[in-house]
Amino acid sequence: MIISSPFNVLKILLLSLILIFGGCETFSKERKYSKNGLTVTYRSLARFGSEITRYRVTPSSNITAETVSSHLLSLLHRRIQPPGKAKPIFSQKQVDSFSPLLAKALRKAPPNRYLHFEFQSSTGWTEGDVFTSVNKLHWRLLKIEGEGYSNDPLRLRKPTWKLVRARGQRFHKVNMGAGRQKSQENWVIATVGLKAPKRRATSPKQNLHKFGLKRKIKALKELLDDGIIGKKEYQQKKNILLNQHP
């Protein structure tokens, strides 16, 4: 039987500590900033995945709050099942509240880092990544209002939502082999100087629709609280109502 000397035991212990803390190096260097419901974190490019290596990630000193605001207001999505209409991801009020922090964080991004953001609103968490390449801003959304992205063509996972391209945006393309490419519909790219789309003013008729929507959702919630319907049925019916009232 081999008996380890105290010296060998110490060497093994030191090696284990090096491996543990070395593996956590990527996470220990992450810096977080929070304001107005938004949390941003600088992350190593290794955490993003191999697709980011196709771009030259470069910090941009000319990113302003107005620039970020235009891009955020241009981010649209729609449900896949059941099919829904294109809707903005963020409201004007939300964008006004956190675009200065996001712009400042992008300007100060360290080399070989991208920005991960999480925004908490009354409808749930919205989460994604953003970085700048040469005169381009990249937005990859991972979660919208608490629902993760899923658009599997084989339908092994239930499809949820996808981004809708606005004017001036394009999807990131994934190489599928044999010269084929596929659009990654949760990742849009646009020039830094993208102009925000014009949003139509809300009409009195639309306000009435919204008032009726609140009443219907409140009635659904009462059915849930009384145990007449379950949480799954409540969420399904609520989603149908939301898609019927843009």
Side-chain angles (χ1 to χ4, degrees):
M1 184 174 66
I2 300 173
I3 302 175
S4 299
S5 68
F7 180 69
N8 287 335
V9 172
L10 181 61
K11 283 200 299 183
I12 293 170
L13 180 60
L14 286 173
L15 181 60
S16 300
L17 290 172
I18 290 170
L19 289 173
I20 292 170
F21 288 105
C24 295
E25 182 181 4
T26 299
F27 301 95
S28 63
K29 291 184 179 179
E30 292 182 356
R31 291 181 288 166
K32 288 187 177 183
Y33 304 92
S34 299
K35 187 178 181 180
N36 296 332
L38 179 76
T39 300
V40 296
T41 312
Y42 293 120
R43 289 187 172 179
S44 166
L45 298 186
R47 290 196 66 181
F48 192 97
S50 61
E51 288 295 314
I52 200 171
T53 60
R54 293 168 52 185
Y55 303 98
R56 195 174 76 183
V57 180
T58 56
S60 181
S61 59
N62 64 345
I63 300 292
T64 64
E66 291 74 20
T67 299
V68 171
S69 176
S70 294
H71 278 259
L72 290 171
L73 292 173
S74 300
L75 293 175
L76 307 172
H77 79 295
R78 71 172 181 85
R79 293 198 61 80
I80 301 173
Q81 286 188 354
K85 295 181 179 180
K87 298 190 297 184
I89 296 176
F90 302 107
S91 69
Q92 181 73 60
K93 184 178 180 181
Q94 290 171 342
V95 170
D96 291 342
S97 70
F98 63 70
S99 56
L101 173 61
L102 204 50
K104 184 177 181 180
L106 281 168
R107 288 195 302 270
K108 295 182 175 295
N112 299 319
R113 291 286 188 274
Y114 69 93
L115 201 64
H116 178 79
F117 65 87
E118 297 176 359
F119 176 68
Q120 185 178 21
S121 69
S122 58
T123 53
W125 284 95
T126 296
E127 181 180 348
D129 305 313
V130 56
F131 67 91
T132 56
S133 60
V134 181
N135 198 36
K136 295 285 192 299
L137 262 173
H138 298 246
W139 300 88
R140 184 177 72 168
L141 275 295
L142 306 174
K143 187 181 291 185
I144 297 177
E145 295 180 350
E147 192 168 40
Y149 171 71
S150 175
N151 190 14
D152 180 10
L154 299 177
R155 298 299 191 259
L156 298 177
R157 293 177 58 198
K158 182 181 177 181
T160 52
W161 52 264
K162 64 180 182 179
L163 297 182
V164 177
R165 286 182 304 162
R167 179 176 293 182
Q169 294 176 336
R170 65 179 176 86
F171 286 123
H172 168 74
K173 300 284 187 180
V174 179
N175 292 320
M176 305 297 290
R180 295 181 298 113
Q181 290 187 322
K182 175 189 174 185
S183 294
Q184 186 168 331
E185 294 178 316
N186 70 325
W187 180 346
V188 292
I189 307 165
T191 59
V192 170
L194 180 72
K195 300 296 182 183
K198 292 182 180 180
R199 294 188 178 179
R200 292 180 296 177
T202 304
S203 67
K205 188 176 180 181
Q206 286 174 316
N207 284 331
L208 285 174
H209 278 309
K210 288 183 179 179
F211 180 69
L213 174 63
K214 287 181 180 179
R215 285 181 17 181
K216 291 175 183 177
I217 291 178
K218 184 179 179 181
L220 266 180
K221 185 67 167 58
E222 290 175 356
L223 291 175
L224 174 65
D225 293 340
D226 292 341
I228 299 173
I229 60 174
K231 287 185 178 180
K232 186 175 180 181
E233 186 179 357
Y234 165 77
Q235 195 60 49
Q236 288 174 342
K237 291 183 182 297
K238 181 181 175 182
N239 289 337
I240 292 172
L241 287 173
L242 290 172
N243 288 324
Q244 289 174 346
H245 293 74

